[in-house]
Amino acid sequence: MTFFDRFSDVHLIGAHRGFRACRPENTISAFTASLGRCHFIEIDVQISRDGIPVVFHDSTLKRTSNAALIADRFGIKSMRLSTWDLSRLKELDIGSWFLAADPFGTLAAGTTSVADLEPQMPQRILTLAELLEWAMRHMLPVNIEIKDQRHTRFDQHAASLVLDVIHRAGAASMVLISSFNHDYLLQCKAMAPQISIGVLQNEQHPPELVQYLLALGAAAYHPADAITTRELIRTLRAAGFGINVYTVNDKKRQRDLFNFGATAVFTDFPELPASARRRPIQIPPPSLKRRRRFFHFPL
Ligand code: G3P
Ligand code: MG
């Protein structure tokens, strides 16, 4: 079984960094709030100074933590996550910034409340191992985006460090690995061919896209919404690939993409359609699985 075999629904909702519009991104608070609102969560992975994959988006700690306030106490000058050991990262509060920044205006709008959020603070950075243990407990599939480590000492090891955690958690069929760094995807496919990979792209499509995805052994393409067209979706679906588009918060655009044939959208405001809410996410019947030997996503 692979990541995509876990869904019987055709149109999938991926909670982008968890329920990021209403909770601090990439925290247990955001992931818990997305339960029942999505088919899977998307998380970002960086690597600590001592080589531990952790769930965090930016390469620096400035935007979403209180590192600037406590770095002095540890005698640390740099705000780059890759220069902090896990034990120091665990001291950070990666949640309270949300109360001050209200990044999506959901506090101002009353969609979420300070009274609900305050008791959840501080939020602590999660290791990938902790996140996967939580996701397995909730039977919630996870898209792991490996962030570029080119300027750290773990560039050559990022893929194997992440795979090691996945294997230890027994989560190979629960995850989809994606990255803008396609070298990592090649390495993952070589070391763990059974794990699905998604190819992230934010500006221009690689030339000969179908051949490119075939060469990588990709299950899906993950383009930015701005470069996604009906024709692109149709071409990739006809070639047997999934197409998962980020980040799509507008409901009409989500509907249009699904009508064009998109398999998933990533959104900061995850919400399942009523039909998906009525029943748990199911493993598809064997007849569907057989068809997927030929096409990842039956047309
Ligand atoms: O994986 C989709 C999306 O998360 C990629 O961009 O910057 O939000 O990680 P970013
Ligand atoms: Mg991401």
Side-chain angles (χ1 to χ4, degrees), residues 214-236:
L214 282 172
L216 281 170
Y221 190 49
H222 292 196
D225 188 18
I227 58 167
T228 302
T229 62
R230 180 198 302 241
E231 196 194 350
L232 174 82
I233 293 173
R234 294 211 165 144
T235 303
L236 293 186

Side-chain angles (χ1 to χ4, degrees), residues 4-299:
F4 289 106
D5 294 325
R6 294 194 165 272
F7 309 107
S8 56
D9 288 336
V10 184
H11 301 149
L12 305 178
I13 299 292
H16 184 228
R17 311 183 203 172
F19 192 176
R20 180 190 176 216
C22 287
R23 295 287 184 270
E25 64 187 54
N26 281 323
T27 63
I28 205 71
S29 166
F31 300 134
T32 303
S34 69
L35 286 172
R37 306 184 71 96
C38 64
H39 294 90
F40 64 93
I41 52 173
E42 186 262 1
I43 69 167
D44 305 287
V45 167
Q46 300 277 1
I47 304 198
S48 70
R49 180 173 175 271
D50 44 350
I52 313 294
V54 294
V55 181
F56 203 81
H57 181 271
D58 297 0
S59 59
T60 82
L61 297 163
K62 284 183 218 156
R63 183 178 61 91
T64 60
S65 87
N66 62 343
L69 298 176
I70 66 171
D72 268 358
R73 202 200 303 163
F74 304 141
I76 302 177
K77 294 275 177 282
S78 169
M79 285 294 114
R80 297 195 71 77
L81 183 148
S82 60
T83 64
W84 288 54
D85 285 335
L86 178 65
S87 62
R88 294 307 190 205
L89 290 171
K90 279 284 186 187
E91 303 269 335
L92 296 174
D93 175 359
I94 64 162
S96 296
W97 70 274
F98 185 96
L99 290 163
D102 192 12
F104 290 82
T106 52
L107 287 168
T111 320
T112 191
S113 79
V114 173
D116 285 347
L117 268 176
E118 260 179 356
Q120 299 182 17
M121 301 306 155
Q123 287 289 308
R124 300 297 184 198
I125 201 163
L126 295 164
T127 62
L128 177 59
E130 289 166 341
L131 180 279
L132 288 181
E133 194 270 328
W134 177 89
M136 297 286 279
R137 204 153 16 93
H138 292 281
M139 288 300 293
L140 186 63
V142 182
N143 173 199
I144 300 171
E145 181 190 341
I146 309 178
K147 287 298 185 191
D148 199 353
Q149 303 299 309
R150 254 178 297 183
H151 304 293
T152 80
R153 63 197 180 111
F154 288 110
D155 182 38
Q156 296 305 312
H157 308 285
S160 61
L161 288 169
V162 168
L163 286 176
D164 187 48
V165 176
I166 293 169
H167 289 313
R168 282 172 195 269
S173 72
M174 285 283 276
V175 301
L176 166 69
I177 297 178
S178 62
S179 187
F180 288 105
N181 184 323
H182 301 171
D183 289 342
Y184 297 164
L185 300 178
L186 263 180
Q187 292 161 15
C188 286
K189 212 60 204 170
M191 288 185 278
Q194 76 281 21
I195 296 182
S196 301
I197 60 169
V199 177
L200 272 162
Q201 200 69 29
N202 62 353
E203 284 172 7
Q204 278 191 323
H205 305 296
E208 306 295 340
L209 180 57
V210 167
Q211 291 309 316
Y212 186 80
L213 297 177
L214 282 172
L216 281 170
Y221 190 49
H222 292 196
D225 188 18
I227 58 167
T228 302
T229 62
R230 180 198 302 241
E231 196 194 350
L232 174 82
I233 293 173
R234 294 211 165 144
T235 303
L236 293 186
R237 287 299 304 275
F241 295 104
I243 177 151
N244 307 328
V245 185
Y246 75 91
T247 302
V248 190
N249 290 339
D250 181 73
K251 288 276 190 289
K252 178 176 179 311
R253 178 64 175 164
Q254 290 181 3
R255 278 196 301 278
D256 287 348
L257 289 166
F258 284 139
N259 288 336
F260 299 159
T263 39
V265 296
F266 298 96
T267 174
D268 301 312
F269 293 83
E271 194 178 358
L272 289 175
S275 56
R277 258 179 267 147
R278 277 197 295 274
R279 56 188 162 59
I281 294 166
Q282 294 160 4
I283 292 163
S287 58
L288 253 185
K289 277 196 213 158
R290 273 200 297 279
R291 285 161 67 196
R292 282 180 186 174
R293 274 192 213 140
F294 304 99
F295 290 102
H296 295 296
F297 298 95
L299 294 170

